[in-house]
Structure formats: C-alpha cells, structure tokens
C-alpha cells in the first residue's frame, strides 16, 4: 500500500459522492479519484450484460492509469452484478455497495421494509438472495424507480425538481393504512447511492415518518479497515474528479462538501 493511499470511487454519475463523503470523513489522509461514468448514465436503464461489458474493462483502464490502492464501486446497480468479475480480473481490493437489507430488517419494528433502488437493482438475483437470507421474518417490498437517480442528479446540478415528481417515485414504498396499522412500512432502504442526495426532500415528502437506511457509513468503515491505520499526514489537497463523457466540470463549488472541502482537480 502506498502512502497516502489512493482510493478510486466509481459510480454511473454523482450518486457515489454520498459514499465518497463518508469515506473522506473516515480517511482524510487518503488521495481520492472520483469517476462518474456519465457517458453511460443511467445504469438502471441498461441490461445486465451491457453493464458487465461496460464496467469491467473500464475499471481495468482506470486501475492502469491511476494505480489505486483500493477501488469502491459506489453503485448498487453495478455492484449487484460486477464484483465477482472485478475480483477475478484484477488484484486491487474492491469494496461494493449493495442494498442494506440485513440491517434494515434487523431494525424494523413493524416487520415491513421497502427497498428503493433502480429498476435494475431490484430485479437482480443478488438482491433476491439478500432478501431470502436476511429478511428475518420481514415482508420486503421491492420498489424499482425509473427516474429518481436522474432527478437527484438534476437537483444537485442546481435545477428545479418538483415535489410531485419525487413523491410519485416514492409512493410505492409506503405500504399500509394509517397510524393505527401496526404493520405499515417503517423502514426504507436507500438502495441507490443517488438517493441520499435527496434525503431532505424524501423525509419531507414521505406520507409518514420512516427510518431511511443509507449504507455509506458502513462502507466507509469497511474501507478504513482494509486500508489499515492512517500512518502519515493528511492529503488535504488530494482529489480528482473525472467524467467519462470528458465534459468539463462546472460543479466544483457544489461538489466540495463531498470531498471534505477539497476542490477536485
Ligand atoms: N447510483 C447508482 C446506484 O447506486 C445508479 C444510478 C443509475 O445509474 O441508474 O444504483
């Protein structure tokens, strides 16, 4: 492992920034390369074979050009498909992002949990296996959203996104009647890294209060464990942001909080 370690964080777009934010908090000593595969966004609209064929060689190119010490696939739509392919093809340690069904079901009191992800993620065998293994007696509702990732991306880029558009994507997560229903949904898994970008709006538009489960802090702990103890100075300046479309980035100010205040080059 080099010092400071280089961590490459990858997503289809800006959603992985919600994972990056937690990792930077846990490991301010590291150097960060954030890659948004915006040329292929949204992944939720692509077939499984297309995603594997896109992501596996692309990660190989990124490893060759940035020599990361660790790669985080900060995308559920990709992680639920590509992790074994990546581990087979490359030596670098990988951390993926998959729906946090186990902790959600462990903490639900009403035993009714919804998993909100892209249409791809909720269809995956991997997600179904997580439910079979970890539902712990909960009724789990899978909600595939076609638009929420794009809405989150648009909101972060400073555009107006209407309450109606967000509420329509959210509505199927809420199963049950009124407060007298002891079995209505009390927990929603944010199974797409874009969704925490809209968390304030989700809380405000929810028909009743629920726990929103975001796996980013757990991912950051895993990354930190794999890196081992920080044993050098903080690399405060070290951040790069790459868009595969090669568009110049005009978002630096809005993105700075996700990089712990660093301005990504
Ligand atoms: N951020 C991605 C995820 O966690 C998906 C968004 C997309 O490209 O459809 O699933």
């Amino acid at each position: 492992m080099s010092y400071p370690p280089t961590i490459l964080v990858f997503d289809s777009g800006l959603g992985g920034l919600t994972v990056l934010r937690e990792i930077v908090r846990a490991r301010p000593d590291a150097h960060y390369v954030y890659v948004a595969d915006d040329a292929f966004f949204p992944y939720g609209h692509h077939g499984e074979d297309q995603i594997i064929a896109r992501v596996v060689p692309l990660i190989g190119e990124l490893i060759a050009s940035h020599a990361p010490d660790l790669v985080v696939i900060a995308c559920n739509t990709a992680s639920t498909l590509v992790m074994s392919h990546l581990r087979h093809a490359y030596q670098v340690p990988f951390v993926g992002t998959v729906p946090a069904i186990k902790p959600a079901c462990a903490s639900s009191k009403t035993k009714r949990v919804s998993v909100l992800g892209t249409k791809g993620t909720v269809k995956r065998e991997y997600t179904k296996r997580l439910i079979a293994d970890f539902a712990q007696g909960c009724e789990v509702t899978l909600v595939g959203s076609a638009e929420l990732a794009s809405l989150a991306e648009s909101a972060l880029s400073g555009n107006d996104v209407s309450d109606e558009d967000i509420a329509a994507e959210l509505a199927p997560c809420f199963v049950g009647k009124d407060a007298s229903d002891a079995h209505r949904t009390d927990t929603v898994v944010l199974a797409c890294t874009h969704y925490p970008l809209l968390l304030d709006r989700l809380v405000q538009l929810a028909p009743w209060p629920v726990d929103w489960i975001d796996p980013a802090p757990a991912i950051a702990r895993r990354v930190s464990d794999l890196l081992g103890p920080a044993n050098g100075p903080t690399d405060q300046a070290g951040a790069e942001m790459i868009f595969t479309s090669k568009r110049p980035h005009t978002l630096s100010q809005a993105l700075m909080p996700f990089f712990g205040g660093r301005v990504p080059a």
Side-chain angles (χ1 to χ4, degrees), residues 210-232:
V210 290
D211 285 337
W212 304 91
I213 308 292
D214 175 4
I219 294 165
R221 283 194 295 277
R222 174 84 187 126
V223 168
S224 196
D225 286 352
L226 285 172
L227 289 180
N231 61 1

Side-chain angles (χ1 to χ4, degrees), residues 160-237:
D160 279 338
V161 173
S162 77
D163 284 351
E164 291 69 29
D165 286 348
I166 295 175
E169 301 294 307
L170 205 54
C173 292
F174 289 81
V175 182
K177 295 188 250 37
D178 48 28
S180 68
D181 182 350
H183 299 294
R184 68 180 187 174
T185 309
D186 70 350
T187 306
V188 177
V189 178
L190 297 172
C192 169
T193 54
H194 278 74
Y195 302 166
L197 292 171
L198 290 173
L199 186 58
D200 291 349
R201 311 274 307 270
L202 301 182
V203 169
Q204 179 205 329
L205 293 166
W208 58 79
V210 290
D211 285 337
W212 304 91
I213 308 292
D214 175 4
I219 294 165
R221 283 194 295 277
R222 174 84 187 126
V223 168
S224 196
D225 286 352
L226 285 172
L227 289 180
N231 61 1
T234 351
D235 184 15
Q236 284 297 354

